[in-house]
Amino acid sequence: MDNKKLIKKALRLQSLMKLYTKFKPTKVGKERIIDTSSGKVRVLEYGFDSPEIKPLFVDMHGGGFVLGSADMDEPMCLYFREQTGAKIISIDYPKAPKNPYPIAINAIYDVIKHYIHNAEKYKINSNSIGIGGHSAGGNLAAVICIMAKEKGDFSFKYAVLDYPPCDMSIKSSDKKYPKGAVPEKMVEMFDACYFNSNTETAKSPYLSPVYATNERLRGLPPTLLITAGQDSLHDEGIRYGELLKTAGVSVEFHDFSESAHGFTYNKTPDSKKGQDIMAEFIKKNM
């Protein structure tokens, strides 16, 4: 299937998902709209009603850079808030295909900069900021860490990467697809929408962090890396973690060998364990 057909398919799928989510009940997170260089971005805030100055955790949801919303991470955000006491923002970053690479990363960067520049207003500790995400959100978190180091506007105390795609240059047809992996055709659709399946573009560290040099990775924050054994992204996640370690970054690995991609969104023992590991990592590093 050519890219134009894949993009049309993605747009239809997005429309169906918007119709479904329109009828979901009111959420707990307080909505705020932030102006960025990429347009207005919706953010859900948790714990911002507290007058105390608190650390901040920045969350990004999954969905292949095409699907999903900040709302889907609310149960995890509420749990992390309960367990850590941190203030949390979940960013509803711009989605492909209408907003292809690198629009999302630029928008996310601007949102974080807004909160840090207004730390006094929001009662957050600008010296205690963590970032994390799930699946595509994990990729975005990894990339933003590299970008923040290079731009120097702010820095993170830690990063949480939950089964992230780390090498977008591998064609969907060349990946392993164990039971539970995101279907090959869906991965093909995501790639067509996000970066037009361009292999050379995919080798940018801002798209595939495994292509970052040792120098670019050196000095990145302590990182939690969760992988799922029944996931086409498993090996590239491990590979990125090893590259971080080689660069001198503290990396905590947790490999859930029997779980499938997206498992931390489910209600299973591994999901509970994964969420506990993330909450504990946030708490000890914030």
Side-chain angles (χ1 to χ4, degrees):
M1 191 179 295
D2 63 39
N3 283 0
K4 287 184 179 179
K5 289 181 179 178
L6 288 167
I7 289 171
K8 285 183 180 179
K9 182 179 179 181
L11 289 169
R12 287 196 299 270
L13 190 54
Q14 283 180 335
S15 296
L16 287 171
M17 290 193 73
K18 284 180 182 178
L19 183 65
Y20 168 71
T21 56
K22 182 179 179 181
F23 298 103
K24 282 189 173 181
T26 304
K27 299 295 182 180
V28 175
K30 179 184 176 183
E31 184 178 86
R32 190 182 301 275
I33 305 299
I34 305 296
D35 287 317
T36 76
S37 59
S38 303
K40 295 183 183 297
V41 175
R42 175 176 174 261
V43 177
L44 293 180
E45 298 176 344
Y46 300 90
F48 279 67
D49 52 340
S50 171
E52 296 181 50
I53 296 173
K54 296 281 189 177
L56 176 69
F57 177 64
V58 179
D59 169 79
M60 270 88 67
H61 67 85
F65 311 97
V66 174
L67 305 174
S69 69
D71 306 78
M72 63 192 274
D73 280 15
E74 179 153 286
M76 274 194 273
C77 288
L78 290 172
Y79 183 66
F80 296 158
R81 165 68 183 160
E82 176 190 333
Q83 294 298 308
T84 70
K87 294 185 178 182
I88 297 172
I89 58 171
S90 189
I91 303 176
D92 213 350
Y93 52 87
K95 311 297 185 301
K98 290 183 178 179
N99 298 285
Y101 168 83
I103 292 174
I105 59 173
N106 291 333
I108 291 165
Y109 191 89
D110 287 350
V111 167
I112 298 169
K113 189 161 66 170
H114 167 84
Y115 277 88
I116 291 175
H117 284 183
N118 292 278
E120 186 175 352
K121 169 186 173 182
Y122 293 120
K123 304 295 183 185
I124 57 176
N125 181 353
S126 60
N127 294 313
S128 185
I129 311 294
I131 189 169
H134 318 279
S135 191
N139 170 282
L140 295 168
V143 167
I144 294 295
C145 284
I146 298 171
M147 181 182 284
K149 180 198 167 189
E150 293 177 348
K151 289 194 172 189
D153 294 313
F154 51 81
S155 61
F156 299 106
K157 288 195 72 176
Y158 61 90
V160 175
L161 311 182
D162 192 17
Y163 40 81
C166 294
D167 189 352
M168 309 292 283
S169 72
I170 304 174
K171 293 181 180 179
S172 60
S173 57
D174 293 334
K175 293 193 176 190
K176 299 175 184 176
Y177 287 91
K179 184 178 180 181
V182 177
E184 179 182 338
K185 291 298 181 183
M186 183 165 281
V187 174
E188 187 181 357
M189 180 186 73
F190 292 155
D191 291 353
C193 291
Y194 190 46
F195 62 99
N196 202 30
S197 305
N198 187 307
T199 304
E200 286 308 308
T201 301
K203 291 181 180 179
S204 165
Y206 282 2
L207 191 51
S208 298
V210 295
Y211 285 97
T213 62
N214 189 277
E215 178 59 33
R216 294 180 89 168
L217 297 177
R218 190 178 298 121
L220 292 188
T223 299
L224 169 65
L225 208 154
I226 292 176
T227 50
Q230 306 306 306
D231 184 6
S232 61
L233 305 178
H234 175 272
D235 292 353
E236 62 199 74
I238 296 292
R239 181 181 164 204
Y240 182 58
E242 293 295 346
L243 289 170
L244 287 172
K245 286 181 69 176
T246 300
V249 178
S250 173
V251 181
E252 183 177 317
F253 283 105
H254 289 274
D255 187 19
F256 288 78
S257 60
E258 300 303 315
S259 283
H261 186 80
F263 76 94
T264 51
Y265 281 103
N266 302 327
K267 293 182 179 180
T268 64
D270 272 2
S271 173
K272 178 64 167 62
K273 185 177 178 182
Q275 290 186 27
D276 285 346
I277 288 169
M278 287 186 275
E280 182 59 31
F281 188 82
I282 294 168
K283 189 174 181 179
K284 76 180 181 183
N285 285 282
M286 67 185 195

